[in-house]
Amino acid sequence: MADNILQGRKILLGVSGSIAAYKAATLVRLLVKAGAQVKVIMTPAAEAFITPLTLATLSKNEVMVQISNHNSWNNHVELGRWADVMLIAPASANTIAKMANGLCDNLLLAAYLSATCPVMFAPAMDEDMWHHPATRSNVDKLLSYGHQQIPVATGELASGLFGEGRMAEPEDIVKWLEQHFIAATANKPLSGKTAIVTAGPTIEHIDPVRYITNHSSGKMGIAIANALADAGAAVKLVLGPTNQSTTHPGVTTFAVQTAQEMFDQVTSLYPQANLVVAAAAVADYRPANIADKKIKKGQAQLHIDLEKTPDILRYLGEHKAHQLLIGFSLETDNEKEYALKKLKDKNLDMIVMNSLADAGAGFNYDTNKVTLFSKNGDGRSLPLKSKLEVARDIVSAIIDLQHA
C-alpha cells in the first residue's frame, strides 16, 4: 500500500448526532496527517457531543453546521462536487433513515443529496437499534444506491450493553479510505465488473428453537470475495449465518439465513452481475411445515417431512445472459463424475471440485485442495493450499475465462 495514497485527496466528513462523534477528532487528525484535505459538516445534534471549534482546528477548515449564517451561505452543491469521497462518520440511525429516504432538513443531508462522489457511511448506534428491521431496511437502501458501509464493531455501547453497533475505529476507517483509492486508481483485471459470491451455510427452521444446517464456515467463499475485490471487482457477498466476515472495502455483504432468502437476494442482484461464484453450502431440503411453537419431547420418534429448496445454481444457469457462472461441488465419492454432471446440468462455465476425503480440505479448515473443471471438461488439480491462495487461483482462472 502506498504510504501517501491519501495525499491530496478531498474528504467531506459528515458528523451526525451520536456519542461516537467524539471519534471524529481522531479521524480528522489521522486524515490530515496522511495528507488529505478535510472539510467537516456537522448536524446541529452533533454539536452536543463535540464542538465545531475542535474539528475546525484539526481540519484547518471552517466547520459548517447551518446552511446559512449572518455573513454567508454554505453552498451544499459546491461541497458535494468538491469531494473525492463523502464520508458520514458517525452515521446515526436518524441520519441513515433520512439519507435512505431522501429527507433534507440540514446542511449535511443537502450536501449528501448533491454529492457526485462515492459515499461511505460508518453507522453508530445501540445494538437493538442496529438490528431493528427499519434500520436494516434503510441500510439496504443505501447499499443499493452503491454506497459503502464501513462495518460496525462489537463492544461496549453507550447504553452499557455489549454488542454490535459501535462505530468502526478511526484507524479502520482510514484503511477503508486507503483501500478505496487504491482500488480506484489501480489498473486491475476485473475493474468495472460486478461479482456475486455466495458463502457459508443456510439454516432451515424446524420450529422457533431448532433448525437444519451444515458445517460450512464460509471461509472459502469469503476468501474468494476478497480476492475478487483485490482484482478490482465490485463484490456482492451473499453470506449465510456464520461467525466469519470481511472488512474489505470492495465487498458489500448481504446477510441471509435460509436457502429461500439466499435465492431471493442472489436473483435480485443477478441481472447487473458480470459473474457469480456460488461457494455457499445451500441446504437441499427444508421442513415442509415449520412449527410455530417449540416441538415438545413426546413420542419415541419424530418424523419431519422435507421438501426441496430453490436450486439457485440451476436458476442462474437457466437465466444466464452475459454472466460467467462458477459453481462448487463438494463430494465424498465419485467426485469427478458428480462434478462434471453438475457442470453440464446447470450450465456452468467452471466448477470447483473438492472432496471431504482429502485431508485438510472441506469444512472449517483454513486450507483446501481443489480441481478446476472448465466447460469443456478439462481439469486442473491444485495441491493443498491455504484458502486465500486457492481463492487467488480461482480468481486467476476467472480472469482467464473473461478473456477467452
Side-chain angles (χ1 to χ4, degrees):
M1 181 182 296
D3 290 338
N4 63 343
I5 191 66
L6 293 180
Q7 184 68 43
R9 303 292 186 181
K10 293 177 285 188
I11 311 297
L12 181 60
L13 175 63
V15 180
S16 67
S18 163
I19 185 63
Y22 78 90
K23 294 183 180 180
T26 301
L27 178 58
V28 170
R29 182 180 61 80
L30 291 173
L31 290 172
V32 171
K33 185 177 180 181
Q37 300 178 50
V38 182
K39 291 185 178 181
V40 180
I41 302 175
M42 296 174 62
T43 65
E47 291 184 278
F49 300 98
I50 187 170
T51 67
L53 178 60
T54 298
L55 298 180
T57 302
L58 293 170
S59 68
K60 301 178 176 60
N61 281 306
E62 178 187 0
V63 170
M64 295 155 282
V65 180
Q66 303 296 336
I67 288 180
S68 63
N69 57 35
H70 295 298
N71 301 313
S72 64
W73 173 58
N74 289 314
N75 191 329
H76 57 88
V77 175
E78 182 179 291
L79 288 168
R81 291 179 174 271
W82 169 82
D84 293 319
V85 164
M86 184 174 188
L87 167 66
I88 296 92
S92 66
N94 186 49
T95 291
I96 287 173
K98 290 179 178 181
M99 291 167 63
N101 292 284
L103 300 184
C104 184
D105 61 359
N106 59 47
L107 178 60
L108 189 158
L109 293 165
Y112 161 70
L113 290 174
S114 302
T116 57
C117 60
V119 175
M120 298 182 184
F121 62 104
M125 64 196 74
D126 202 70
E127 183 174 45
D128 292 335
M129 297 173 71
W130 175 241
H131 288 295
H132 193 281
T135 304
R136 307 312 313 146
S137 176
N138 290 331
V139 169
D140 287 344
K141 271 191 182 182
L142 295 186
L143 295 176
S144 75
Y145 299 160
H147 302 339
Q148 294 185 41
Q149 180 218 317
I150 299 173
V152 297
T154 299
E156 187 175 356
L157 304 170
S159 64
L161 299 176
F162 188 93
E164 287 184 298
R166 282 173 62 95
M167 187 180 90
E169 294 302 318
E171 293 82 0
D172 294 326
I173 295 174
V174 171
K175 289 178 183 176
W176 267 75
L177 287 165
E178 289 173 340
Q179 288 293 335
H180 167 80
F181 286 113
I182 288 172
T185 57
N187 182 18
K188 297 186 176 182
L190 294 179
S191 291
K193 304 294 184 182
T194 297
I196 300 171
V197 178
T198 66
T202 62
I203 63 174
E204 306 302 330
H205 297 281
I206 297 171
D207 63 19
V209 177
R210 306 174 182 89
Y211 55 80
I212 301 169
T213 191
N214 57 62
H215 295 293
S216 176
S217 65
K219 290 179 180 179
M220 188 71 254
I222 290 172
I224 292 169
N226 290 340
L228 285 167
D230 286 341
V235 181
K236 313 297 183 184
L237 174 63
V238 183
L239 183 63
T242 174
N243 60 5
Q244 303 294 315
S245 62
T246 176
T247 58
H248 196 301
V251 180
T252 301
T253 301
F254 298 83
V256 297
Q257 288 195 331
T258 66
Q260 185 66 55
E261 289 174 0
M262 185 170 284
F263 176 88
D264 293 343
Q265 186 66 71
V266 170
T267 53
S268 72
L269 296 170
Y270 191 48
Q272 286 74 46
N274 301 104
L275 63 101
V276 179
V277 181
V282 184
D284 294 323
Y285 292 89
R286 64 190 175 196
N289 297 292
I290 302 172
D292 58 359
K293 295 181 179 179
K294 179 184 176 183
I295 299 171
K296 304 300 291 183
K297 186 186 297 183
Q299 298 175 340
Q301 293 184 335
L302 174 66
H303 298 279
I304 299 174
D305 292 326
L306 301 177
E307 63 183 11
K308 283 188 175 181
T309 58
D311 191 327
I312 298 173
L313 260 186
R314 185 175 296 280
Y315 177 91
L316 299 182
E318 290 173 349
H319 293 81
K320 185 166 63 171
H322 56 277
Q323 297 91 346
L324 284 176
L325 187 54
I326 295 89
F328 268 67
S329 180
L330 174 62
E331 305 294 346
T332 57
D333 62 307
N334 299 322
E335 292 93 341
K336 181 177 179 180
E337 176 187 346
Y338 290 138
L340 291 178
K341 184 176 187 303
K342 188 174 184 179
L343 176 70
K344 180 180 178 181
D345 289 350
K346 301 193 179 181
N347 193 24
L348 308 182
D349 297 286
M350 185 174 76
I351 195 161
V352 182
M353 183 198 80
N354 60 337
S355 173
L356 284 178
D358 291 328
F363 295 135
N364 291 307
Y365 290 103
D366 292 324
T367 55
N368 207 354
K369 183 180 180 182
V370 304
T371 300
L372 309 181
F373 288 104
S374 61
K375 198 165 188 175
N376 62 11
D378 290 342
R380 179 162 66 97
S381 295
L382 304 175
L384 186 70
K385 298 183 177 184
S386 72
K387 287 185 173 176
L388 178 58
E389 291 175 301
V390 172
R392 289 171 178 163
D393 288 336
I394 292 169
V395 171
S396 179
I398 291 171
I399 293 168
D400 290 341
L401 285 174
Q402 289 271 327
H403 297 101

